[in-house]
């Protein structure tokens, strides 16, 4: 598959991952916090997960395939120039996203109630902020905004 088709798929998945999290963080979550009803978040996630998780997986697969086109895996964390730094930062942010997701899945979601909803809200805010940052870093690769 050529680079341009990989970028097309990568960008489509970014729309789903980032867009879904913005809807969750800015619309669904405030409503759940106001009403103190974790079910509102659970209901959204049960629908979103079916599309959002495959999108993130495809995002990672296409991201890795694109990164391999630019450089060998042994150079991914060398931060030796602009291109290497972009890929290194993206991978670190991806690991942070996974760490937050695993922590929420294992320690918060199993006993989700009105009492620990605020803790889940912090996780959602962090994952959303990281998703937007990854989108910006992705665009910055070609556009050199900063
Ligand atoms: C949620 C995670 C991610 C989001 C939201 C995201 C988003 C984006 C976006 C919007 C672009 C711009 C495409 C363009 O206009 O050229 C991009 C490019 C890129 N992404 Fe990601 N990305 C994510 C994960 C990853 C991962 C895990 C990698 C693997 C290292 C990666 C590697 C790249 C590379 C190398 C480019 C530059 C492609 C090019 O312009 O030639 N991305 N990303």
């Amino acid at each position: 598959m050529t680079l341009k088709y990989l970028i097309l798929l990568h960008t489509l998945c970014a729309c789903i991952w980032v867009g879904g999290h913005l809807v969750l963080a800015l619309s669904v979550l405030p409503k759940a916090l106001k009403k103190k009803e974790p079910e509102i978040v659970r209901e959204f996630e049960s629908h979103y997960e079916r599309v959002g998780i495959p999108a993130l997986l495809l995002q990672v697969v296409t991201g890795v395939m694109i990164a391999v086109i630019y450089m060998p895996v042994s150079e991914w964390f060398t931060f030796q120039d602009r291109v290497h730094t972009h890929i290194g930062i993206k991978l670190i942010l991806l690991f942070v996203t996974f760490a937050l997701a695993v922590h929420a899945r294992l320690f918060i979601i199993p006993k989700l109630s009105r009492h620990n909803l605020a803790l889940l809200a912090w996780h959602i805010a962090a994952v959303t902020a990281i998703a937007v940052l990854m989108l910006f870093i992705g665009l910055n690769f070609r556009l050199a905004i900063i």
Side-chain angles (χ1 to χ4, degrees), residues 32-117:
L33 285 170
K34 197 171 164 198
K35 295 188 167 181
K36 293 192 168 60
E37 279 180 24
E39 271 315 309
I40 295 176
V41 174
R42 240 196 266 270
E43 165 79 6
F44 176 84
E45 293 215 320
S46 70
H47 293 291
Y48 174 70
E49 254 177 12
R50 268 176 247 161
V51 183
I53 299 297
L56 178 63
L57 293 179
L58 197 54
Q59 181 97 61
V60 175
V61 171
T62 52
V64 164
M65 286 171 84
I66 296 169
V68 166
I69 291 174
Y70 284 110
M71 67 192 68
V73 178
S74 57
E75 288 181 17
W76 279 6
F77 289 104
T78 56
F79 299 93
Q80 53 186 274
D81 61 23
R82 210 180 145 269
V83 174
H84 288 77
T85 304
H86 267 82
I87 288 173
I89 292 176
K90 269 213 164 169
L91 288 167
I92 291 169
L93 292 176
L94 180 69
F95 293 138
V96 176
T97 302
F98 276 130
L100 284 166
V102 168
H103 182 260
R105 277 259 162 250
L106 295 183
F107 301 106
I108 305 175
I109 293 170
K111 38 187 178 180
L112 186 62
S113 70
R114 50 169 47 208
H115 305 295
N116 64 356
L117 184 59

Coordinates of all heavy atoms in Angstrom, one line a residue, residues 32-117:
A32 N -23.3 13.8 32.3 CA -23.2 12.7 33.3 C -22.8 13.3 34.6 O -23.3 12.9 35.7 CB -22.2 11.6 32.8
L33 N -21.8 14.2 34.6 CA -21.3 14.8 35.9 C -22.4 15.6 36.5 O -22.6 15.6 37.7 CB -20.1 15.7 35.6 CG -18.8 14.9 35.3 CD1 -17.7 15.9 34.8 CD2 -18.3 14.1 36.5
K34 N -23.2 16.4 35.7 CA -24.2 17.2 36.2 C -25.3 16.4 36.9 O -25.8 16.7 38.0 CB -24.8 18.1 35.1 CG -25.6 19.3 35.5 CD -26.0 20.1 34.4 CE -27.1 21.1 34.8 NZ -27.7 21.6 33.6
K35 N -25.7 15.3 36.2 CA -26.8 14.5 36.7 C -26.3 13.4 37.7 O -27.1 12.6 38.2 CB -27.5 13.8 35.6 CG -28.3 14.7 34.7 CD -29.1 13.9 33.7 CE -30.1 14.8 33.0 NZ -30.9 14.1 32.0
K36 N -24.9 13.3 37.8 CA -24.3 12.3 38.7 C -24.7 10.9 38.2 O -25.1 10.0 39.0 CB -24.5 12.5 40.1 CG -23.9 13.7 40.7 CD -24.0 13.7 42.2 CE -23.1 14.7 42.9 NZ -23.4 16.1 42.7
E37 N -24.8 10.7 36.9 CA -25.2 9.4 36.4 C -24.2 8.7 35.5 O -24.1 9.1 34.3 CB -26.5 9.6 35.5 CG -27.8 9.7 36.3 CD -29.0 9.9 35.5 OE1 -29.0 9.5 34.3 OE2 -30.0 10.5 36.0
P38 N -23.3 7.8 36.0 CA -22.3 7.2 35.2 C -22.9 6.4 34.0 O -22.2 6.2 33.0 CB -21.6 6.2 36.2 CG -22.4 6.2 37.4 CD -23.3 7.4 37.4
E39 N -24.2 6.0 34.1 CA -24.8 5.2 33.0 C -24.8 6.0 31.7 O -24.7 5.4 30.6 CB -26.3 4.9 33.4 CG -26.5 3.7 34.2 CD -25.7 2.5 33.6 OE1 -25.8 2.2 32.4 OE2 -24.9 1.8 34.4
I40 N -24.8 7.3 31.8 CA -24.8 8.1 30.5 C -23.5 7.9 29.8 O -23.5 7.7 28.6 CB -25.0 9.6 30.9 CG1 -26.4 9.8 31.5 CG2 -24.8 10.5 29.6 CD1 -26.7 11.3 31.9
V41 N -22.4 7.8 30.5 CA -21.0 7.6 29.9 C -21.0 6.1 29.4 O -20.6 5.9 28.3 CB -19.9 7.8 30.9 CG1 -18.5 7.4 30.3 CG2 -19.9 9.3 31.4
R42 N -21.4 5.2 30.3 CA -21.4 3.8 29.9 C -22.2 3.6 28.6 O -21.8 2.9 27.7 CB -22.1 3.0 31.0 CG -21.1 1.9 31.5 CD -21.9 0.9 32.3 NE -21.9 1.2 33.8 CZ -21.0 0.8 34.6 NH1 -20.0 0.1 34.2 NH2 -21.2 1.1 35.9
E43 N -23.4 4.2 28.5 CA -24.3 4.1 27.3 C -23.5 4.6 26.0 O -23.5 3.9 25.0 CB -25.5 4.9 27.6 CG -26.4 5.2 26.4 CD -27.3 4.0 26.0 OE1 -27.3 3.0 26.7 OE2 -27.9 4.1 24.9
F44 N -22.9 5.8 26.2 CA -22.1 6.3 25.0 C -21.0 5.4 24.6 O -20.8 5.0 23.4 CB -21.6 7.7 25.3 CG -20.7 8.3 24.2 CD1 -21.3 8.9 23.2 CD2 -19.3 8.1 24.3 CE1 -20.5 9.4 22.1 CE2 -18.5 8.6 23.2 CZ -19.1 9.3 22.2
E45 N -20.3 4.9 25.6 CA -19.1 4.0 25.3 C -19.5 2.7 24.7 O -18.8 2.2 23.8 CB -18.3 3.8 26.6 CG -17.7 5.1 27.1 CD -16.3 5.0 27.7 OE1 -16.1 4.0 28.4 OE2 -15.4 5.9 27.4
S46 N -20.7 2.2 25.1 CA -21.1 0.9 24.5 C -21.3 1.0 23.0 O -21.1 0.1 22.2 CB -22.3 0.4 25.2 OG -23.4 1.1 24.9
H47 N -21.7 2.2 22.6 CA -21.9 2.4 21.1 C -20.6 2.8 20.4 O -20.3 2.3 19.4 CB -23.0 3.6 20.9 CG -24.3 3.2 21.3 ND1 -25.1 2.2 20.7 CD2 -25.1 3.6 22.3 CE1 -26.2 2.1 21.3 NE2 -26.3 2.9 22.3
Y48 N -19.9 3.7 21.1 CA -18.6 4.3 20.5 C -17.5 3.2 20.4 O -16.8 3.2 19.3 CB -18.2 5.5 21.3 CG -16.8 6.0 20.8 CD1 -16.8 6.6 19.6 CD2 -15.7 5.8 21.5 CE1 -15.5 7.1 19.1 CE2 -14.4 6.3 21.0 CZ -14.4 6.9 19.8 OH -13.2 7.3 19.3
E49 N -17.4 2.4 21.4 CA -16.3 1.4 21.4 C -16.2 0.5 20.2 O -15.1 0.3 19.7 CB -16.6 0.4 22.6 CG -15.7 0.6 23.8 CD -16.0 -0.3 24.9 OE1 -16.8 -1.2 24.8 OE2 -15.5 0.0 26.0
R50 N -17.4 0.1 19.6 CA -17.4 -0.8 18.5 C -16.7 -0.2 17.3 O -16.2 -0.8 16.4 CB -18.9 -1.1 18.1 CG -19.3 -2.3 18.8 CD -20.8 -2.6 18.5 NE -21.6 -2.5 19.7 CZ -22.8 -2.3 19.8 NH1 -23.5 -2.2 18.7 NH2 -23.4 -2.2 21.0
V51 N -16.7 1.2 17.2 CA -16.1 1.8 16.1 C -14.7 2.4 16.5 O -13.7 2.4 15.8 CB -17.0 3.0 15.5 CG1 -16.3 3.7 14.3 CG2 -18.3 2.4 15.1
G52 N -14.7 3.0 17.7 CA -13.6 3.7 18.3 C -12.3 2.8 18.5 O -11.2 3.2 18.1
I53 N -12.5 1.6 19.0 CA -11.4 0.8 19.3 C -10.7 0.2 18.0 O -9.5 0.4 17.8 CB -11.7 -0.4 20.3 CG1 -12.2 0.2 21.6 CG2 -10.6 -1.4 20.5 CD1 -11.2 1.0 22.4
P54 N -11.6 -0.3 17.1 CA -10.9 -0.7 15.8 C -10.2 0.5 15.1 O -9.2 0.3 14.5 CB -12.1 -1.2 14.9 CG -13.2 -1.6 15.9 CD -13.0 -0.7 17.1
A55 N -10.8 1.7 15.3 CA -10.2 2.9 14.6 C -8.8 3.1 15.3 O -7.9 3.4 14.5 CB -11.1 4.1 14.8
L56 N -8.7 3.0 16.6 CA -7.4 3.3 17.2 C -6.4 2.2 16.8 O -5.3 2.5 16.5 CB -7.6 3.3 18.8 CG -6.3 3.5 19.5 CD1 -5.6 4.8 19.2 CD2 -6.4 3.4 21.0
L57 N -6.9 0.9 16.7 CA -6.0 -0.1 16.3 C -5.4 0.1 14.9 O -4.3 0.0 14.6 CB -6.7 -1.5 16.4 CG -7.0 -2.0 17.9 CD1 -7.7 -3.3 17.8 CD2 -5.8 -2.0 18.7
L58 N -6.4 0.5 14.0 CA -6.0 0.7 12.6 C -5.1 2.0 12.6 O -4.1 2.0 11.8 CB -7.2 0.9 11.8 CG -7.1 0.8 10.3 CD1 -6.4 -0.5 9.9 CD2 -8.4 1.0 9.6
Q59 N -5.3 2.9 13.5 CA -4.5 4.1 13.6 C -3.0 3.7 13.9 O -2.1 4.2 13.3 CB -5.1 5.0 14.7 CG -4.3 6.3 15.0 CD -5.0 7.4 14.3 OE1 -6.2 7.6 14.6 NE2 -4.4 8.0 13.4
V60 N -2.9 2.8 14.9 CA -1.6 2.4 15.3 C -0.9 1.6 14.2 O 0.3 1.8 13.8 CB -1.7 1.5 16.6 CG1 -0.3 1.0 17.0 CG2 -2.2 2.3 17.7
V61 N -1.7 0.7 13.5 CA -1.1 -0.1 12.4 C -0.6 0.7 11.3 O 0.5 0.6 10.8 CB -2.1 -1.2 11.9 CG1 -1.6 -1.9 10.7 CG2 -2.4 -2.2 13.0
T62 N -1.5 1.7 10.9 CA -1.1 2.6 9.7 C 0.0 3.5 10.2 O 1.0 3.7 9.4 CB -2.3 3.4 9.2 OG1 -2.9 4.1 10.3 CG2 -3.3 2.5 8.5
G63 N 0.0 4.0 11.4 CA 1.0 4.9 11.9 C 2.4 4.2 11.9 O 3.4 4.7 11.5
V64 N 2.4 2.9 12.4 CA 3.6 2.1 12.4 C 4.1 1.9 11.0 O 5.3 2.0 10.7 CB 3.4 0.8 13.2 CG1 4.5 -0.2 12.9 CG2 3.3 1.1 14.7
M65 N 3.2 1.5 10.1 CA 3.6 1.3 8.7 C 4.2 2.6 8.0 O 5.2 2.5 7.3 CB 2.4 0.8 7.8 CG 2.0 -0.6 8.2 SD 0.4 -1.1 7.4 CE 0.9 -1.6 5.8
I66 N 3.6 3.7 8.4 CA 4.1 5.0 7.8 C 5.5 5.2 8.4 O 6.5 5.6 7.7 CB 3.2 6.2 8.2 CG1 1.8 6.0 7.5 CG2 3.8 7.5 7.7 CD1 0.7 7.0 8.0
A67 N 5.6 5.0 9.8 CA 6.9 5.3 10.4 C 8.0 4.4 9.8 O 9.1 4.8 9.6 CB 6.8 5.0 11.9
V68 N 7.7 3.1 9.5 CA 8.7 2.2 8.9 C 9.1 2.7 7.6 O 10.3 2.5 7.2 CB 8.1 0.8 8.9 CG1 8.9 -0.2 8.0 CG2 8.0 0.2 10.3
I69 N 8.2 3.3 6.8 CA 8.6 3.9 5.5 C 9.6 5.0 5.7 O 10.6 5.1 4.9 CB 7.3 4.4 4.7 CG1 6.4 3.3 4.4 CG2 7.7 5.2 3.5 CD1 5.1 3.7 3.7
Y70 N 9.5 5.8 6.7 CA 10.4 6.9 7.0 C 11.8 6.5 7.5 O 12.8 7.1 7.3 CB 9.8 8.0 7.8 CG 8.8 8.8 7.1 CD1 7.4 8.7 7.4 CD2 9.2 9.7 6.1 CE1 6.5 9.5 6.6 CE2 8.3 10.4 5.4 CZ 6.9 10.3 5.6 OH 6.0 11.1 4.9
M71 N 11.7 5.4 8.4 CA 13.0 5.0 9.1 C 12.9 3.6 9.7 O 11.8 3.2 10.0 CB 13.3 6.0 10.2 CG 12.4 6.0 11.4 SD 12.6 7.3 12.5 CE 12.0 8.7 11.5
P72 N 14.0 2.9 9.9 CA 14.0 1.6 10.5 C 13.6 1.7 12.0 O 13.8 2.8 12.6 CB 15.4 1.1 10.4 CG 16.3 2.2 10.2 CD 15.4 3.3 9.5
V73 N 13.0 0.6 12.5 CA 12.5 0.6 13.9 C 13.6 1.0 14.9 O 13.3 1.7 15.9 CB 11.9 -0.8 14.3 CG1 11.4 -0.8 15.7 CG2 10.8 -1.1 13.3
S74 N 14.8 0.6 14.6 CA 16.0 0.9 15.5 C 16.2 2.4 15.7 O 16.8 2.8 16.7 CB 17.2 0.2 15.0 OG 17.5 0.7 13.7
E75 N 15.6 3.2 14.8 CA 15.9 4.7 15.0 C 14.7 5.4 15.6 O 14.7 6.6 15.8 CB 16.1 5.3 13.6 CG 17.5 4.9 13.0 CD 17.7 5.5 11.6 OE1 17.0 6.5 11.3 OE2 18.6 5.1 10.9
W76 N 13.6 4.7 16.0 CA 12.4 5.3 16.4 C 12.5 6.2 17.7 O 11.8 7.2 17.8 CB 11.3 4.3 16.7 CG 10.6 3.8 15.5 CD1 11.0 4.2 14.2 CD2 9.5 2.9 15.4 NE1 10.1 3.5 13.3 CE2 9.2 2.8 14.0 CE3 8.7 2.3 16.3 CZ2 8.2 2.0 13.5 CZ3 7.7 1.5 15.8 CH2 7.4 1.3 14.5
F77 N 13.4 5.9 18.6 CA 13.5 6.7 19.8 C 14.9 7.5 19.9 O 15.4 7.7 20.9 CB 13.3 5.8 21.0 CG 11.9 5.4 21.2 CD1 11.5 4.1 20.9 CD2 10.9 6.3 21.7 CE1 10.2 3.7 21.0 CE2 9.6 5.8 21.8 CZ 9.2 4.5 21.5
T78 N 15.4 7.8 18.7 CA 16.7 8.4 18.7 C 16.6 10.0 18.7 O 17.5 10.7 19.1 CB 17.6 8.1 17.5 OG1 16.8 8.4 16.3 CG2 17.9 6.6 17.5
F79 N 15.4 10.5 18.4 CA 15.2 12.0 18.5 C 16.3 12.8 17.8 O 16.6 13.9 18.3 CB 15.0 12.4 19.9 CG 13.8 11.7 20.6 CD1 14.0 10.6 21.4 CD2 12.5 12.2 20.5 CE1 12.9 9.9 22.0 CE2 11.5 11.6 21.2 CZ 11.7 10.5 21.9
Q80 N 16.9 12.2 16.7 CA 18.1 12.9 16.2 C 17.7 14.1 15.3 O 18.6 14.9 15.0 CB 18.9 11.9 15.4 CG 18.2 11.1 14.4 CD 19.1 10.0 13.8 OE1 19.8 10.2 12.8 NE2 19.0 8.8 14.3
D81 N 16.5 14.1 14.7 CA 16.1 15.3 14.0 C 14.6 15.5 14.1 O 13.9 14.8 14.8 CB 16.5 15.2 12.5 CG 15.9 14.0 11.8 OD1 14.9 13.5 12.3 OD2 16.5 13.5 10.8
R82 N 14.0 16.4 13.3 CA 12.6 16.7 13.4 C 11.7 15.5 13.1 O 10.8 15.2 13.9 CB 12.3 17.8 12.3 CG 11.2 18.7 12.6 CD 11.0 19.7 11.5 NE 9.6 20.0 11.5 CZ 8.8 19.3 10.7 NH1 9.2 18.4 9.9 NH2 7.5 19.6 10.7
V83 N 12.0 14.8 12.1 CA 11.2 13.6 11.7 C 11.2 12.5 12.8 O 10.2 12.0 13.2 CB 11.6 13.0 10.3 CG1 10.9 11.7 10.0 CG2 11.4 14.1 9.2
H84 N 12.4 12.2 13.3 CA 12.6 11.2 14.4 C 11.8 11.7 15.6 O 11.2 10.9 16.3 CB 14.1 11.0 14.7 CG 14.8 10.2 13.6 ND1 15.2 10.8 12.4 CD2 15.2 9.0 13.5 CE1 15.8 9.9 11.7 NE2 15.8 8.8 12.3
T85 N 11.9 13.0 15.9 CA 11.3 13.5 17.1 C 9.8 13.4 17.0 O 9.1 13.0 18.0 CB 11.7 15.0 17.3 OG1 13.1 15.1 17.4 CG2 11.1 15.6 18.6
H86 N 9.2 13.6 15.9 CA 7.8 13.5 15.7 C 7.3 12.1 16.0 O 6.4 11.8 16.7 CB 7.4 13.8 14.2 CG 7.0 15.3 14.0 ND1 7.9 16.3 13.9 CD2 5.8 15.9 14.0 CE1 7.3 17.4 13.7 NE2 6.0 17.2 13.8
I87 N 8.1 11.1 15.4 CA 7.7 9.7 15.6 C 7.9 9.3 17.1 O 7.0 8.6 17.6 CB 8.4 8.8 14.6 CG1 7.8 9.1 13.2 CG2 8.3 7.3 14.9 CD1 8.5 8.5 12.0
G88 N 9.0 9.7 17.7 CA 9.3 9.3 19.1 C 8.2 9.9 20.0 O 7.6 9.2 20.8
I89 N 7.8 11.2 19.8 CA 6.8 11.8 20.7 C 5.4 11.0 20.5 O 4.7 10.7 21.5 CB 6.6 13.3 20.4 CG1 7.9 14.0 20.8 CG2 5.4 13.9 21.1 CD1 7.9 15.5 20.4
K90 N 5.1 10.7 19.2 CA 3.8 10.0 19.0 C 3.8 8.7 19.7 O 2.7 8.3 20.3 CB 3.6 9.8 17.5 CG 2.9 11.0 16.9 CD 2.1 10.4 15.7 CE 1.0 11.5 15.4 NZ 0.4 11.2 14.1
L91 N 4.9 8.0 19.7 CA 4.9 6.6 20.3 C 4.8 6.8 21.8 O 4.0 6.0 22.5 CB 6.2 5.9 19.9 CG 6.1 5.4 18.5 CD1 7.5 4.9 18.0 CD2 5.1 4.3 18.3
I92 N 5.4 7.8 22.4 CA 5.3 8.0 23.9 C 3.9 8.4 24.2 O 3.3 7.8 25.2 CB 6.3 9.1 24.3 CG1 7.8 8.6 24.2 CG2 6.0 9.6 25.8 CD1 8.8 9.7 24.4
L93 N 3.3 9.3 23.5 CA 1.9 9.6 23.7 C 0.9 8.4 23.6 O 0.0 8.3 24.3 CB 1.4 10.8 22.8 CG 2.1 12.1 23.1 CD1 1.6 13.2 22.1 CD2 1.8 12.6 24.5
L94 N 1.3 7.5 22.6 CA 0.5 6.3 22.5 C 0.6 5.4 23.7 O -0.4 4.9 24.2 CB 0.9 5.6 21.2 CG 0.2 4.3 20.9 CD1 -1.2 4.6 20.4 CD2 0.9 3.5 19.8
F95 N 1.8 5.3 24.3 CA 2.0 4.5 25.5 C 1.2 5.1 26.6 O 0.6 4.3 27.4 CB 3.5 4.3 25.8 CG 4.2 3.5 24.8 CD1 5.5 3.9 24.4 CD2 3.7 2.3 24.2 CE1 6.2 3.1 23.4 CE2 4.4 1.6 23.3 CZ 5.6 2.0 22.9
V96 N 1.2 6.4 26.8 CA 0.5 7.1 27.9 C -1.0 6.8 27.7 O -1.7 6.5 28.7 CB 0.8 8.6 27.9 CG1 0.0 9.3 29.0 CG2 2.3 8.8 28.1
T97 N -1.5 6.9 26.5 CA -2.9 6.6 26.2 C -3.3 5.2 26.7 O -4.3 4.9 27.3 CB -3.3 6.8 24.7 OG1 -2.9 8.1 24.3 CG2 -4.7 6.5 24.4
F98 N -2.4 4.2 26.3 CA -2.7 2.8 26.7 C -2.6 2.6 28.2 O -3.5 2.0 28.7 CB -1.7 1.9 26.0 CG -2.1 1.5 24.6 CD1 -1.2 1.6 23.5 CD2 -3.4 1.0 24.3 CE1 -1.6 1.2 22.2 CE2 -3.8 0.7 23.0 CZ -2.9 0.8 22.0
A99 N -1.7 3.3 28.8 CA -1.5 3.2 30.3 C -2.8 3.7 31.0 O -3.4 3.1 31.9 CB -0.3 3.9 30.8
L100 N -3.3 4.9 30.5 CA -4.5 5.5 31.1 C -5.7 4.5 30.8 O -6.6 4.3 31.7 CB -4.8 6.8 30.4 CG -3.9 8.0 30.9 CD1 -4.1 9.2 30.0 CD2 -4.3 8.4 32.4
A101 N -5.8 4.0 29.6 CA -6.9 3.1 29.2 C -6.9 1.8 30.1 O -8.0 1.4 30.6 CB -6.9 2.7 27.7
V102 N -5.7 1.2 30.3 CA -5.6 0.0 31.0 C -6.0 0.3 32.5 O -6.8 -0.5 33.1 CB -4.2 -0.6 30.9 CG1 -4.0 -1.7 32.0 CG2 -4.0 -1.2 29.5
H103 N -5.5 1.4 33.0 CA -5.8 1.8 34.4 C -7.3 2.0 34.6 O -7.9 1.5 35.6 CB -5.0 3.1 34.8 CG -5.3 3.5 36.2 ND1 -6.2 4.5 36.6 CD2 -4.8 3.0 37.4 CE1 -6.2 4.6 37.9 NE2 -5.4 3.7 38.4
A104 N -7.9 2.7 33.7 CA -9.4 2.9 33.8 C -10.2 1.6 33.7 O -11.1 1.3 34.5 CB -9.9 3.9 32.7
R105 N -9.8 0.7 32.7 CA -10.5 -0.6 32.5 C -10.4 -1.5 33.8 O -11.3 -2.1 34.2 CB -9.9 -1.3 31.4 CG -10.4 -0.9 30.1 CD -11.4 -2.0 29.5 NE -12.2 -1.3 28.5 CZ -13.5 -1.0 28.6 NH1 -14.2 -1.3 29.7 NH2 -14.1 -0.4 27.6
L106 N -9.1 -1.5 34.4 CA -8.9 -2.4 35.5 C -9.4 -1.9 36.8 O -9.9 -2.6 37.7 CB -7.4 -2.8 35.6 CG -6.8 -3.6 34.4 CD1 -5.4 -3.9 34.7 CD2 -7.6 -4.8 34.2
F107 N -9.2 -0.6 37.1 CA -9.4 0.0 38.4 C -10.6 0.9 38.6 O -11.1 1.1 39.7 CB -8.1 0.7 38.9 CG -6.9 -0.3 38.9 CD1 -5.9 -0.1 38.0 CD2 -6.8 -1.3 39.9 CE1 -4.8 -1.0 38.0 CE2 -5.8 -2.1 39.9 CZ -4.7 -2.0 39.0
I108 N -11.1 1.5 37.5 CA -12.2 2.5 37.7 C -13.5 1.9 37.1 O -14.5 1.9 37.9 CB -11.9 3.8 37.0 CG1 -10.6 4.4 37.5 CG2 -13.0 4.8 37.3 CD1 -10.1 5.6 36.8
I109 N -13.5 1.5 35.9 CA -14.8 1.0 35.2 C -15.5 -0.1 36.0 O -16.7 -0.1 36.1 CB -14.5 0.8 33.7 CG1 -14.2 2.1 33.1 CG2 -15.8 0.1 33.1 CD1 -13.7 2.0 31.6
P110 N -14.7 -1.2 36.5 CA -15.4 -2.3 37.1 C -16.3 -1.8 38.3 O -17.3 -2.4 38.6 CB -14.3 -3.2 37.6 CG -13.2 -2.9 36.7 CD -13.3 -1.4 36.4
K111 N -15.8 -0.7 39.0 CA -16.6 -0.3 40.2 C -17.1 1.2 39.9 O -17.1 2.0 40.9 CB -15.9 -0.4 41.5 CG -14.4 -0.1 41.4 CD -13.7 -0.5 42.7 CE -12.3 -0.2 42.5 NZ -11.4 -0.4 43.6
L112 N -17.5 1.4 38.7 CA -17.9 2.8 38.4 C -19.2 3.2 39.1 O -20.2 2.4 39.0 CB -18.1 3.0 36.8 CG -18.4 4.4 36.3 CD1 -17.3 5.3 36.7 CD2 -18.6 4.4 34.8
S113 N -19.2 4.3 39.8 CA -20.5 4.7 40.4 C -20.4 6.3 40.5 O -19.5 6.9 40.0 CB -20.5 4.2 41.9 OG -19.5 4.9 42.6
R114 N -21.4 6.9 41.0 CA -21.5 8.3 41.1 C -20.3 8.9 41.9 O -19.9 10.0 41.8 CB -22.8 8.8 41.6 CG -23.2 8.2 42.9 CD -24.4 8.8 43.6 NE -25.5 9.1 42.7 CZ -26.3 10.1 42.9 NH1 -26.2 10.9 43.9 NH2 -27.3 10.3 42.1
H115 N -19.7 8.0 42.8 CA -18.6 8.4 43.7 C -17.3 8.6 43.0 O -16.5 9.4 43.4 CB -18.5 7.5 44.9 CG -19.8 7.4 45.6 ND1 -20.4 8.4 46.3 CD2 -20.7 6.3 45.8 CE1 -21.6 8.0 46.8 NE2 -21.7 6.7 46.5
N116 N -17.0 7.7 42.0 CA -15.7 7.8 41.3 C -15.8 8.3 39.9 O -14.9 8.2 39.1 CB -14.9 6.4 41.4 CG -15.6 5.3 40.7 OD1 -16.7 5.5 40.2 ND2 -15.0 4.1 40.6
L117 N -17.0 8.8 39.6 CA -17.2 9.3 38.2 C -16.2 10.5 37.9 O -15.7 10.6 36.7 CB -18.6 9.8 38.0 CG -19.1 10.3 36.6 CD1 -18.9 9.2 35.6 CD2 -20.5 10.8 36.7

